[in-house]
Amino acid sequence: AQSVTQLDSQVPVFEEAPVELRCNYSSSVSVYLFWYVQYPNQGLQLLLKYLSGSTLVKGINGFEAEFNKSQTSFHLRKPSVHISDTAEYFCAVSVFDGGATNKLIFGTGTLLAVQP
Amino acid sequence: DAGVIQSPRHEVTEMGQEVTLRCKPISGHNSLFWYRQTMMRGLELLIYFNNNVPIDDSGMPEDRFSAKMPNASFSTLKIQPSEPRDSAVYFCASSLVRLAGDPIQYFGAGTRLSVL
């Protein structure tokens, strides 16, 4: 079975500072990896995804993530955060089962709190 | 496309009443997911459908919860009778699953349910 661990429940950071949100997963098969962002009182929206190919993936709003198979990690980074990046960030893993439905397993989320 | 549409956005009801949440997936999508989000338990998958057929309902908390998908453009999640512990934000998501597809789930804005 697959699982996702987000070790940090909350990450405070000052505006314009870099940030890294950590995500580790466990799976015995190949996976797809995602980061979703949830702004207050809104649904989740896709930030970026790793399906295959280059291990460094770029998403919206200047975020990027690197897939590290040996460390089973998919950490999210941004070199300089803005106040508007304050939100909950969810890491998720999916196993594609050959044409059936993809089920997403979500981590518990990390609240990124950007302070002026 | 308007995205995944959920209604109502907010629902306040009294314990014991029946509650029906509605979801219209993105046109052309063939998979639909219902999630529940609470502070205590995070984001939980309740049930998902593939081509209108329920595939996995193992996340449905108990018999008071039921979900239907009578056609490709509509789904309901019903709670009868409702209890205060059902208070949460309920999300619907849809996806297009193909053999070589892009397994992204698109989320609605959610329904915030309060059971008094």
Side-chain angles (χ1 to χ4, degrees):
Chain A
Q2 295 75 41
S3 67
V4 178
T5 302
Q6 292 181 248
L7 289 172
D8 305 307
S9 60
Q10 187 168 349
V11 173
V13 62
F14 288 106
E15 193 173 20
E16 298 184 7
V19 71
E20 178 180 85
L21 306 185
R22 296 180 293 168
C23 173
N24 289 87
Y25 69 93
S26 66
S27 175
S28 57
V29 298
S30 296
V31 296
Y32 299 136
L33 294 158
F34 306 84
W35 276 98
Y36 279 82
V37 60
Q38 184 180 27
Y39 298 103
N41 299 314
Q42 294 186 28
L44 280 72
Q45 66 180 86
L46 184 69
L47 201 56
L48 50 78
K49 63 189 179 187
Y50 172 77
L51 304 182
S52 63
S54 173
T55 57
L56 182 64
V57 293
K58 294 188 183 297
I60 60 172
N61 301 338
F63 283 91
E64 64 180 31
E66 185 157 18
F67 170 56
N68 188 319
K69 188 173 182 179
S70 62
Q71 297 188 4
T72 61
S73 67
F74 191 55
H75 301 331
L76 181 70
R77 302 186 184 98
K78 186 170 183 179
S80 176
V81 296
H82 302 286
I83 295 286
S84 59
D85 293 323
T86 295
E88 188 94 25
Y89 291 79
F90 293 91
C91 182
V93 62
S94 171
V95 175
F96 189 64
D97 50 5
T101 304
N102 291 320
K103 199 165 98 168
L104 280 179
I105 309 298
F106 282 92
T108 51
T110 297
L111 175 62
L112 176 61
V114 182
Q115 304 164 3
Chain B
D1 199 308
V4 177
I5 299 173
Q6 291 186 246
S7 64
R9 289 295 313 274
H10 302 275
E11 177 79 36
V12 180
T13 190
E14 293 188 348
M15 183 174 62
Q17 296 298 306
E18 177 179 296
V19 174
T20 300
L21 311 181
R22 297 173 175 80
C23 176
K24 176 178 168 54
I26 292 174
S27 177
H29 281 189
N30 56 6
S31 290
L32 184 139
F33 307 80
W34 282 101
Y35 293 89
R36 179 172 68 176
Q37 186 178 38
T38 60
M39 289 291 291
M40 292 296 294
R41 301 174 69 91
L43 198 60
E44 305 173 273
L45 177 64
L46 300 178
I47 184 172
Y48 70 88
F49 297 83
N50 193 21
N51 295 317
N52 312 335
V53 175
I55 302 298
D56 183 354
D57 65 354
S58 60
M60 296 286 261
E62 47 197 279
D63 292 345
R64 298 184 298 107
F65 286 70
S66 62
K68 293 182 180 179
M69 191 163 187
N71 56 63
S73 58
F74 183 66
S75 177
T76 59
L77 177 68
K78 186 176 293 186
I79 308 172
Q80 166 63 17
S82 58
E83 297 183 1
R85 59 193 169 123
D86 301 330
S87 297
V89 181
Y90 291 82
F91 289 104
C92 175
S94 72
S95 175
L96 176 60
V97 179
R98 297 168 291 190
L99 271 176
D102 199 336
I104 298 172
Q105 291 185 21
Y106 296 85
F107 282 75
T111 295
R112 183 175 296 276
L113 174 65
S114 297
V115 183
L116 307 177

